[in-house]
């Protein structure tokens, strides 16, 4: 589609080529985003591989005093070699304490001095918010920052934004240790947690904060700025605050909850194309680097490469669906004969179509859920690109969960692939018994069940369906998205209905908790079970996890499980909307 | 193809019907759900109003066809179970017939013989068996030798020779001579008892792999149950009250009925097939393990080469007459009844040597043993010994350059040199050649193509071993090996975390057999070896180990392939049933890729496909999917292509064809 505008004329052939072929330039932008993210992740993957293998890293020298200090404070519990039960109890207890403290702190936020008091929050919202920040979801059923004080934001919510990813990363360390060890224990949760904090998350977020400040994002304790918009008699309160440090951990920790309600679509969170690609690379950084590191961790380069290809295949596919969906836009508009440059509704012009959609897909590929555009205004096709990764339980995952989630599919595929080559199920040369298959199946079914059961129940409850105003198929999409985002601990929202009501606050909190902790525990059960088994020497006759054939099988399994679980809902939600749009188009022409 | 014996039909039908009992479906969640749906469908068809189903004539025909199809699905599943079960039942019946009560001549401690029923024999009892009598229980030959007819167990019509130390099986018939046997098992623990128990257990118990697969199928069935339930509330919400019967058909089409119906048949069929090979596996698990082998340890003799070697040529040392040498060879080989000895005697006779029985009576024969590595005769004034060069040189402390040269030359040709010593002096060398078993090269090749390492153990020297292994395609060999070496090889491979399979027969092999993951003992072997192994070959053909590995792989591949196929099929069913269910949303018609214009007919076509595919795949499940031995990577590629991608595409075509046939058949709903 060419846009007849004098602005798009340039003397350079190349500039003209890209300006006039926006499909091509959009495609190239998508590739650039994935390439930049991959390069940065590749650089970090060595660091993460060292952490996973328990080797010292570049940050060890600085981290050691902190780790030693906290370990001394914790006493013998930080030295114990933990088995499944102790490990699970440790991280559940640690998260429980953090959650309870956070709930109390927010409940009494108005009593903390030096803060600007707000109206009391409803209890269900507090529960929902704390759970969602604790579980790395950051579903925001409130409009930040008008609900929580600077104290709550800086200490409670940012605190949780560190605790969530660090816990998951520690669990992923234990999971990998379980596969790699023969010693029968999973390591020490507190040690793993401290390593995640001081050797990975804190140093990286400090670096990113500085970069973001330089890029022009505010970092202040100043009270609201009162601004006078042009052409308007009224005044607007513009909240400022510790935006950079929030933004830094929001992205690095794959949290995704915005300081502002509009998330990265708000200029103070994401002022320009540079911060857009920077934030995109920040939230894909640790998940992608963790996956890339697996090649080194399991001393099989091809395994790491295969996982990267599979995940990136899904990423690229979804990103292209989203971009072209938005680029083609609403056919009925074009049918009217208007000069139409794609669906820019709800998108920031400074960022543009391709960058926005890629950012959006990246946010659902990872468990970040940040958004730099209004998802509710996406076309049905564009929405498909965003929602597909969500329904596959974030294939790229979050900090730590990238490894855990991907392995539910890997174990399962190894089971089927082993059978198909005539061998008893094995993975990484370790036998998979019925126990591993049981928990792997449980992990696999958790996500679809967590989405479909609440969805089915909610549709029958007319009292919660009152706040919807969009057409029916879109309501299906909205609810599917709401539960999908909770179950995948993603946190992006398309809203379009009143989310801050007790029903959704409590239900989502429950879904998030199960989606987060059940899968972690199931994966640790598998790890514990594998920890006792001795690895078999590499046999040529077994399925090689790094082979293209296995990669294809893994890809097919991920797609088929996703499709089989959600096809009917997708058909009656986005596909129905899509079909209606196209029908309209045909009718008009 | 699999065949069903006509005489079995009544019992198969009976089992089929008994399987409708929901309690027997409990072991299979997929079929249990189908049965529930079947019962529900009957209620729906009788009381359509209570389920707010339309009750026009064409709808009623549709309901009826759903009931019939669900019934057939269950019937086919039960039938496939019954057919396999029927096959094992035939085996059990024939085994039970063998286990009939006989009398035994028991020798008491004081040496007197008393007649007792065979069921009263205990381990350690001694019995006499005469020609024409049945051997009363499993045992070991203490005295005597004779030919035993084992056709009722092995199917082999030639009687086999049993010597001292050999194992004999109860219920087999001694055709010649007289044996004194020590009973080696208590009643209820004999070979036949164990076999009956095994076949019964195989139909009753699931192997760990089957358990794992069932768990996985249950998990996916749960997802589909929830998918269908949420679809129900979703379509209500969209103001399109779903037809419950169609929804139920969707559920049945989605849950993995194909693999669910055939799973138990695959397992039972594998036990049946291995019994057809005349191998007794001690558990179904052992068969599956066989598919998982990384290393196979094979004996040279009997497995790779034809039993004993054959003599080809005599080389006498300078100064010894060729004919005289042939005579000495004849003398020392006549009492040696091994095939090797017989062939030497035959060759010697062709050189013109002959000796009378009277002359031979003055000699004492010493048979070959693994320790001395030689055999020979000792007479009043001469001792003739033949054996391995090294062993003889060490024993007599002599060397002979000519003999060494000849031996080396023979070895370099891959033959075996058998030097002969007469009265402490080398007199010549017999050249023996190994004959590879027909077809062994191809079989070893097929094992290697599956990337399984083959190790050959042989008592021969390095050069001979190398020759044979090169000729037959063996990866690695252990020359000059004793039975203890075999154990060491197993240990070494196990330490490298390999799964090891091996064949053994002697008592010396028992530790190695016990240590190996798959140990195949020969039925002719000692009871200790048979006890230690987890499979016993009734035909005494060690090459069968390779068949067992193939079979083990085949069982697992069949399971994997049918599971994959079952799931790949689901995609097409969505594309048929979803547009049909929501035909009121005209805009969703773009999902109707097959262009099936009549919604209920489309749903019926999908259900018919879902039902018919079970019975269509039953032969495949029982026979096992065919596969070419190749690397894991190749197998995965091929099977994903065939059962994954093929399984996704094929039902689209099949459903379209069924739909067209329904239309052509004049079904107009």
């Amino acid at each position: 589609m060419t846009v007849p505008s004098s602005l798009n004329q340039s003397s350079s052939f190349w500039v003209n080529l890209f300006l006039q072929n926006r499909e091509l330039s959009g495609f190239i932008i998508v590739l650039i985003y994935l390439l930049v993210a991959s390069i940065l992740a590749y650089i970090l993957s060595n660091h993460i591989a060292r952490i996973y293998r328990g080797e010292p890293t570049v940050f060890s020298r600085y981290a050691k005093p902190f780790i030693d200090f906290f370990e001394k404070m914790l006493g013998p519990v930080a030295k114990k070699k933990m088995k499944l039960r102790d490990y699970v109890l440790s991280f559940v207890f640690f998260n429980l304490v953090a959650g309870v403290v956070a709930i109390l702190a927010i409940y009494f936020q108005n009593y903390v001095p030096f803060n600007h008091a707000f109206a009391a929050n409803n209890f269900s919202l507090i529960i929902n918010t704390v759970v969602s920040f604790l579980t790395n979801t950051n579903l925001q059923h409130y409009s930040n920052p008008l609900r929580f004080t600077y104290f709550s934001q800086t200490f409670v919510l940012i605190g949780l934004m560190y605790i969530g990813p660090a816990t998951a990363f520690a669990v992923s360390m234990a999971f990998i240790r379980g596969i790699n060890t023969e010693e029968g224990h999973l390591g020490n949760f507190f040690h793993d947690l401290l390593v995640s904090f001081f050797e990975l998350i804190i140093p990286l977020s400090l670096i990113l904060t500085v970069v973001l400040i330089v890029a022009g994002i505010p970092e202040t304790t100043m009270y609201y700025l009162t601004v006078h918009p042009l052409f308007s008699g009224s005044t607007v309160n513009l909240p400022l605050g510790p935006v950079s440090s929030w933004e830094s951990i929001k992205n690095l920790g794959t949290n995704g909850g915005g300081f502002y309600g509009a998330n990265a679509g708000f200029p103070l969170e994401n002022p320009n194309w540079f911060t857009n690609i920077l934030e995109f690379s920040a939230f894909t950084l640790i998940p992608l680097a963790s996956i890339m590191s697996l090649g080194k961790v399991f001393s099989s380069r091809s395994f790491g490469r295969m996982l990267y290809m599979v995940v990136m295949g899904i990423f690229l596919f979804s990103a292209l669906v989203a971009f072209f969906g938005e680029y083609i836009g609403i056919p009925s508009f074009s049918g009217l004969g208007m000069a139409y440059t794609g669906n820019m509704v709800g998108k920031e012009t400074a960022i543009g179509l391709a960058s926005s959609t890629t950012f959006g897909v990246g946010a659902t590929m990872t468990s970040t859920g940040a958004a730099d555009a209004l998802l509710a205004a996406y076309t049905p096709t564009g929405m498909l690109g965003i929602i597909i990764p969500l329904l596959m339980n974030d294939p790229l995952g979050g900090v730590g969960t990238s490894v855990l989630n991907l392995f539910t599919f890997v174990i399962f595929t190894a089971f089927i692939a082993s059978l198909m080559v005539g061998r008893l199920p094995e993975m990484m040369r370790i036998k998979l018994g019925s126990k591993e298959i049981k928990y792997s199946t449980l992990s696999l079914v958790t996500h679809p069940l967590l989405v479909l059961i609440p969805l089915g129940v909610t549709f029958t409850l007319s009292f919660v369906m009152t706040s919807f105003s969009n057409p029916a198929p879109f309501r299906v999409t909205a609810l599917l998205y709401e539960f999908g985002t909770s179950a995948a601990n993603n946190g992006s929202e398309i809203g379009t209905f009143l989310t801050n009501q007790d029903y959704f606050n409590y239900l989502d909190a429950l879904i998030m908790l199960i989606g987060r902790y059940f899968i972690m525990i199931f994966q640790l059960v598998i790890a514990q079970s594998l920890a006792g088994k001795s690895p078999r020497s590499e046999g040529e006759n077994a399925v090689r996890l790094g082979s293209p054939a296995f990669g294809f099988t893994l890809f097919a399994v991920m797609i088929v499980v996703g499709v089989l679980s959600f096809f009917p809902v997708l058909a009656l939600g986005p596909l129905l909307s899509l079909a209606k749009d196209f029908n309209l188009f045909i009718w008009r022409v | 193809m699999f065949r069903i014996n006509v005489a079995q039909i009544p019992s198969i039908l009976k089992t089929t019907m008994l399987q409708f009992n929901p309690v027997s479906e409990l072991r299979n969640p997929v079929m249990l759900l189908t049965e529930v749906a079947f019962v529900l469908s009957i209620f729906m068809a009788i009381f359509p109003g209570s389920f707010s189903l339309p009750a026009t004539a064409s709808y009623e025909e549709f309901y009826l066809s759903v009931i019939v199809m669900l019934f057939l699905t269950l019937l086919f599943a039960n039938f496939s179970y019954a057919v396999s079960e029927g096959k094992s039942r035939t085996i059990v019946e024939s085994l039970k017939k063998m286990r009939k009560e006989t009398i035994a001549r028991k020798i008491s401690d004081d040496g007197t013989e008393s007649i007792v029923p065979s069921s009263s024999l205990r381990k350690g009892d001694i019995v006499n068996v005469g020609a024409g009598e049945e051997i009363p229980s499993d045992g070991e030959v203490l005295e005597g030798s004779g030919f035993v007819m084992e056709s009722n167990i092995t199917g082999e019509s030639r009687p086999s020779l049993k010597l001292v130390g050999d194992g004999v099986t109860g219920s087999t018939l001694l055709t010649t001579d007289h044996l004194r046997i020590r009973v080696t098992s208590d009643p209820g623990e004999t070979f036949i008892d164990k076999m009956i128990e095994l076949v019964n257990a195989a139909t009753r118990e699931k192997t760990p792999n089957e358990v794992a697969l069932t768990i996985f199928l249950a998990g996916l069935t749960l997802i589909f149950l929830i998918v269908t339930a949420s679809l129900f509330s979703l379509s209500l919400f969209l103001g399109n009250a779903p037809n419950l019967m169609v929804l139920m058909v969707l559920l049945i089409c989605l849950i993995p009925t194909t693999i669910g119906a055939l799973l138990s048949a695959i397992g039972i069929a594998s036990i049946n097939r291995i019994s057809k090979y005349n191998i007794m596996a001690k558990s179904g698990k052992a068969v599956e393990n066989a598919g998982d082998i990384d290393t196979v340890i094979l004996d040279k003799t009997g497995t790779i080469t034809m039993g004993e070697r054959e003599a080809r040529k005599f080389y006498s040392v300078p100064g010894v007459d060729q004919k005289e040498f042939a005579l000495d060879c004849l003398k020392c080989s006549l009492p040696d009844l091994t095939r090797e000895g017989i062939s030497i005697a035959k060759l010697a006779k062709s050189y013109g040597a002959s000796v009378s029985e009277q002359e031979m009576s003055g000699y004492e024969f010493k048979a070959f043993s693994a320790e001395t590595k030689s055999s020979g005769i000792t007479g009043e004034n001469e001792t003739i010994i033949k054996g391995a060069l090294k062993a003889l040189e060490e024993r007599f402390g002599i060397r002979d350059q000519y003999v060494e040269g000849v031996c080396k030359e023979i070895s370099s040709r891959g033959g075996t040199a058998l030097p002969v010593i007469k009265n402490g002096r080398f007199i010549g060398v017999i050249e023996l050649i190994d004959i590879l078993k027909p077809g062994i090269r191809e079989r070893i090749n097929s094992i290697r193509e599956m990337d399984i390492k083959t190790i050959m153990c042989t008592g021969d020297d390095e050069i001979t071993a190398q020759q044979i292994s090169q000729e037959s395609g063996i990866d690695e060999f252990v020359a000059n090996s004793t039975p203890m070496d075999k154990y060491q090889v197993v240990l070494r491979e196990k330490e490298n975390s390999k799964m090891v399979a091996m064949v053994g027969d002697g008592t010396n092999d028992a530790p190695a057999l016990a240590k190996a993951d798959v140990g195949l003992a020969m039925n002719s072997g000692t009871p200790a070896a048979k006890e230690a192994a987890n499979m016993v070959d009734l035909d005494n053909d060690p090459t069968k180990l390779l068949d067992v590995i193939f079979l083990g792989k085949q069982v697992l591949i069949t399971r994997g392939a049918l599971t994959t196929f079952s799931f790949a099929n689901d995609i097409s069913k969505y594309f048929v049933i979803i547009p049909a269910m929501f035909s009121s949303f005209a805009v969703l018609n773009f999902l109707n890729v097959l262009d099936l214009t009549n919604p209920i007919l489309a749903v019926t076509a999908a259900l018919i496909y879902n039902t018919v595919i079970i019975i269509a795949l039953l032969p495949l499940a029982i026979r096992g999917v065919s596969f070419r031995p190749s690397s894991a990577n190749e197998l995965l590629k091929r099977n994903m292509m065939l059962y994954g991608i093929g399984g996704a595409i094929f039902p689209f075509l099949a459903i379209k064809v069924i739909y067209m046939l329904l239309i052509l058949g004049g079904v107009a709903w």
Side-chain angles (χ1 to χ4, degrees), chain B residues 462-639:
Chain B
E462 203 100 348
I463 298 168
T464 314
Q466 190 167 14
Q467 273 289 336
I468 297 288
S469 52
Q470 252 173 23
E471 230 170 281
S472 56
I474 292 275
D475 290 318
E476 215 182 292
F477 61 84
V478 181
N480 301 316
S481 85
T482 60
M484 266 325 276
D485 286 341
K486 218 163 161 184
Y487 180 66
Q488 294 300 333
V489 175
V490 175
L491 274 190
R492 186 193 75 199
E493 291 295 309
K494 292 290 288 179
E495 251 159 48
N496 290 333
S497 317
K498 304 273 189 193
M499 292 272 278
V500 185
M502 66 163 284
V503 179
D505 44 15
T507 313
N508 288 335
D509 286 338
L513 280 171
K515 192 83 196 159
D517 300 282
V518 172
L520 177 65
M522 297 297 104
N523 194 32
S524 59
T526 57
K530 283 200 268 184
E531 192 61 41
N534 41 21
M535 289 184 200
V536 179
D537 176 23
L538 306 175
D539 297 342
N540 308 322
D541 176 7
T543 332
K544 271 201 211 152
L545 184 61
L546 308 183
D547 295 319
V548 174
I549 291 174
F550 199 81
L551 191 70
K553 279 201 179 298
Q554 204 178 25
V555 176
L556 296 175
I557 293 179
T558 307
R559 263 185 218 141
L562 289 185
T563 307
T564 308
F565 184 79
S566 201
F567 278 98
N569 272 344
D570 280 358
I571 298 168
S572 64
K573 292 166 190 164
Y574 268 138
F575 278 94
V576 173
I577 299 180
I578 295 290
M581 269 181 95
F582 298 97
S583 53
S584 59
F585 296 144
V587 291
L588 267 188
N589 205 41
F590 78 99
L591 291 178
N592 189 357
V593 289
L594 289 180
D595 196 24
L596 312 177
T597 41
N598 185 333
I600 22 176
L601 218 50
V603 172
T604 313
L607 185 59
I608 291 176
Y609 170 78
N610 196 57
T611 309
V612 169
I613 196 71
I614 296 175
I615 203 77
L617 289 177
L618 176 60
L620 192 69
I622 289 186
R623 197 185 52 211
V625 302
S626 60
F627 76 101
R628 237 198 6 255
S630 50
S631 71
N633 204 25
E634 286 299 313
L635 276 176
L636 183 59
K637 254 193 241 167
R638 187 176 166 276
N639 287 332

Side-chain angles (χ1 to χ4, degrees), chain B residues 95-137:
Chain B
L95 287 173
K96 276 189 181 155
K97 258 179 226 153
M98 270 188 240
R99 200 178 48 175
K100 55 185 182 253
E101 187 76 356
T102 52
I103 51 139
R105 289 192 276 143
K106 185 178 161 187
I107 318 274
S108 46
D109 294 338
D110 52 19
T112 54
E113 195 177 287
S114 56
I115 304 285
V116 297
S118 63
S119 59
S120 70
L121 292 176
R122 292 288 178 274
K123 213 184 226 172
D125 286 351
I126 315 273
V127 291
N128 274 335
V129 183
E133 286 179 1
E134 219 165 77
I135 294 168
S137 183

Side-chain angles (χ1 to χ4, degrees), chain B residues 5 8 11 82-99 152-153 191-200 202-203 267-281 538:
Chain B
N5 192 338
Q8 277 181 304
S11 92
V83 168
S84 339
E85 204 245 26
K87 279 175 185 280
S88 6
R89 201 200 305 253
T90 324
I91 298 174
V92 171
E93 290 303 320
S94 63
L95 287 173
K96 276 189 181 155
K97 258 179 226 153
M98 270 188 240
R99 200 178 48 175
N152 53 350
I153 293 178
F191 181 69
I192 290 176
D193 290 316
K194 276 187 189 157
M195 204 150 162
I196 292 171
E197 198 182 302
L198 161 84
V199 178
N200 276 332
T203 55
I268 301 169
S270 76
I271 292 289
N272 291 345
R273 291 222 310 284
I274 202 158
S275 333
K276 209 173 277 170
Y277 276 113
N278 272 333
I279 290 174
M280 190 201 88
L538 306 175

Side-chain angles (χ1 to χ4, degrees), chain A residues 123-133 135 137 139 141 450 482-483 486-487 489 501-517:
Chain A
F123 190 66
S124 70
L125 178 66
I126 296 178
I127 294 280
N128 182 285
T129 304
V130 167
V131 166
S132 84
F133 274 79
T135 57
T137 315
L139 200 60
H141 282 178
L450 273 183
E482 179 70 15
F483 296 128
S486 304
N489 294 129
Q501 46 180 319
D502 287 353
Y503 177 79
F504 286 109
N505 282 341
Y506 287 128
L507 184 58
D508 288 348
L510 185 67
I511 297 171
M512 287 186 278
L513 287 173
I514 295 175
R516 174 84 164 175
Y517 295 106

